[in-house]
């Protein structure tokens, strides 16, 4: 890389910009792929994602949080042990810091509902109790994530959320007016 010329890097930047214009399409395809992902639940991972986003929308959440809910488990296939962090990294340049923090931590906060079955501490999330977005993550998990495994819940299709996803991912990445304040991801 240190031998690259300005012209070569301008050329590559042009190609990268063009490629990045297809990000929303790639995210939609990744969501579709969740239809055939991890099994064993009463709904597919895609249905879970759609139901999470639908619950957020019905709750009056803004587009950032709805898209966070839609994409929160996108990392399941590639990063099963840190799927939350992968999903947070994907959305971080395009949504406010609170949503990134919530998505980043939702996996740990979800343990509240099942950790006791494995002899783990269901209150491990409490190490973040003093964080300004702690309650937001608690609410996200309670209202949008843990409840979104209901095969009878009326859930719109991915097409319903596509315009919203395209709007969010058409924003300028890392726009301070959008991402606002960011807090440390660790306690």
């Amino acid at each position: 890389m240190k031998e690259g010329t300005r012209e070569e890097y301008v050329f590559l930047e042009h190609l990268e910009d063009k490629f990045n214009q297809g990000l929303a399409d790639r995210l939609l395809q990744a969501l579709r792929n969740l239809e055939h992902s991890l099994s064993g639940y009463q709904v597919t991972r895609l249905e879970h994602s759609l139901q999470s986003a639908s619950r957020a929308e019905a709750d009056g959440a803004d587009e950032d949080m709805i898209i966070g809910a839609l994409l929160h488990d996108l990392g399941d296939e590639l990063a099963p042990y840190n799927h939350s962090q992968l999903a947070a990294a994907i959305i971080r340049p395009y949504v406010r810091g609170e949503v990134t923090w919530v998505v980043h931590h939702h996996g740990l906060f979800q343990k509240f509902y099942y950790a006791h079955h494995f002899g783990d501490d269901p209150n491990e999330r409490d190490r973040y109790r003093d964080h300004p977005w702690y309650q937001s993550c608690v609410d996200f998990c309670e209202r949008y994530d843990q409840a979104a495994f209901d095969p009878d819940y009326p859930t719109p299709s991915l097409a319903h959320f596509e315009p919203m996803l395209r709007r969010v991912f058409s924003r300028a990445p890392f726009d301070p007016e959008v991402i606002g304040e960011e807090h440390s991801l660790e306690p």
Side-chain angles (χ1 to χ4, degrees):
M1 290 186 76
K2 65 183 177 182
E3 295 175 12
T5 66
R6 173 169 168 58
E7 292 77 25
E8 290 170 328
Y9 280 107
V10 168
F11 172 73
L12 291 173
E13 180 72 17
H14 172 73
L15 293 177
E16 188 172 322
D17 286 344
K18 192 172 181 179
F19 181 76
N20 289 342
Q21 290 174 11
L23 178 58
D25 292 324
R26 290 190 301 278
L27 289 171
L28 289 165
Q29 186 56 52
L31 283 163
R32 287 184 202 101
N33 290 345
L34 291 178
E35 182 69 29
H36 307 290
S37 183
L38 179 65
S39 63
Y41 293 92
Q42 292 184 17
V43 298
T44 69
R45 301 309 284 163
L46 173 59
E47 290 167 331
H48 169 70
S49 297
L50 294 170
Q51 195 173 124
S52 295
S54 178
R55 288 173 181 277
E57 185 177 45
D59 195 38
D62 66 5
E63 285 194 351
D64 283 10
M65 191 62 79
I66 295 167
I67 293 304
L70 181 66
L71 298 177
H72 78 282
D73 281 344
L74 197 61
D76 278 348
E77 289 188 323
L78 296 175
Y81 299 105
N82 62 332
H83 78 282
S84 302
Q85 293 76 23
L86 180 59
I90 291 169
I91 66 171
R92 181 174 176 248
Y94 303 97
V95 299
R96 72 180 183 283
E98 175 191 8
V99 175
T100 298
W101 195 91
V102 165
V103 170
H104 179 94
H105 290 89
H106 85 272
L108 173 68
F109 278 52
Q110 279 292 93
K111 291 177 78 175
F112 177 79
Y113 301 101
Y114 68 85
H116 63 284
H117 294 299
F118 299 101
D120 293 333
D121 181 5
N123 296 307
E124 188 178 354
R125 69 187 189 181
D126 286 350
R127 66 180 160 164
Y128 294 101
R129 183 168 292 286
D130 294 331
H131 194 281
W133 295 326
Y134 171 89
Q135 190 60 49
S136 185
C137 194
V138 167
D139 294 344
F140 177 93
C141 290
E142 177 66 24
R143 296 178 189 161
Y144 312 148
D145 195 1
Q146 69 84 29
F149 295 95
D150 181 353
D152 298 321
Y153 186 81
T155 307
S157 71
L158 184 56
H160 173 80
F161 296 104
E162 182 175 347
M164 192 181 309
L165 184 139
R166 289 189 182 283
R167 278 192 300 276
V168 168
F169 285 91
S170 69
R171 297 172 177 168
F174 297 105
D175 181 347
E177 295 294 318
V178 172
I179 64 173
E181 184 178 4
E182 293 186 285
H183 289 278
S184 171
L185 297 174
E186 297 308 315

